[in-house]
Amino acid sequence: MRRPRRDPSFEPAPPKRFPRRGFMLGSVAGVTLSVFWVARYYNIGAEVGSADLSAPDALAQADAGQITLIDIRRPEEWAATGIAQYAVPIDMRRDDFGAALLAAVNGDRTRPVALICARGVRSARVAKALREAGFEQVRDVPEGMVGSGAGPGWISRGLPVRQP
């Protein structure tokens, strides 16, 4: 038995192949996004501003009682590296973070506060939020505990830490 001949106008179109140009553009876009992510994660482009402190300056001011240093990292980060000397550890993810911070400064929103995290990304974000919430003197330690584009970090500088 002979098969009926098919009309070519009813043939499905062949599947489209991913063109080489699209593959290359997708690859370039992926690499570019990865570079931006890495730069942000390691705070590579960090610039120390007038409201920022280096790690040694934060230590000196905390030692002199001029600032309240707050370590906003997670408990497992404190356990891994220790907590900066004189720092009050308050996990930034706590539901009552604002209340805990107010308790650390005895309810005084005008008291100078410096924030430190691992690489300065989170502390910069939280510092901005605290300024918007009415804290008047919030400073950032952009090099953080492990270093960033702003500096080598608390630990690499050999500054004192204590265990949680």
Side-chain angles (χ1 to χ4, degrees), residues 4-163:
R5 210 168 177 186
R6 289 187 158 178
D7 183 358
S9 63
F10 290 111
E11 289 291 320
K16 290 187 177 182
R17 294 178 48 197
F18 194 63
R20 192 175 313 172
R21 185 178 309 157
F23 177 74
M24 292 300 291
L25 289 174
S27 297
V28 168
V31 168
T32 302
L33 288 174
S34 297
V35 167
F36 283 119
W37 181 86
V38 167
R40 178 156 170 86
Y41 181 78
Y42 288 101
N43 207 10
I44 290 174
E47 295 179 13
V48 179
S50 61
D52 298 332
L53 293 172
S54 68
D57 290 341
L59 174 64
Q61 289 186 24
D63 182 32
Q66 297 171 336
I67 62 166
T68 300
L69 182 60
I70 308 291
D71 188 334
I72 63 169
R73 297 176 300 147
R74 298 183 312 269
E76 58 269 18
E77 292 176 283
W78 300 329
T81 63
I83 299 168
Q85 186 70 36
Y86 305 113
V88 177
I90 306 174
D91 184 345
M92 67 177 270
R93 302 170 305 158
R94 286 176 52 170
D95 292 335
D96 65 339
F97 177 78
L101 179 59
L102 275 173
V105 295
N106 296 320
D108 184 3
R109 289 177 185 264
T110 64
R111 172 96 175 113
V113 174
L115 304 176
I116 191 167
C117 64
R119 292 185 173 87
V121 176
R122 291 173 287 179
S123 59
R125 196 171 56 229
V126 172
K128 180 181 177 193
L130 289 175
R131 285 185 203 103
E132 291 170 358
F135 284 85
E136 295 178 13
Q137 298 186 60
V138 182
R139 304 192 70 187
D140 182 22
V141 183
E143 63 187 277
M145 290 295 287
V146 297
S148 73
W154 191 283
I155 295 167
S156 293
R157 289 180 183 269
L159 299 177
V161 296
R162 59 184 169 82
Q163 292 306 310

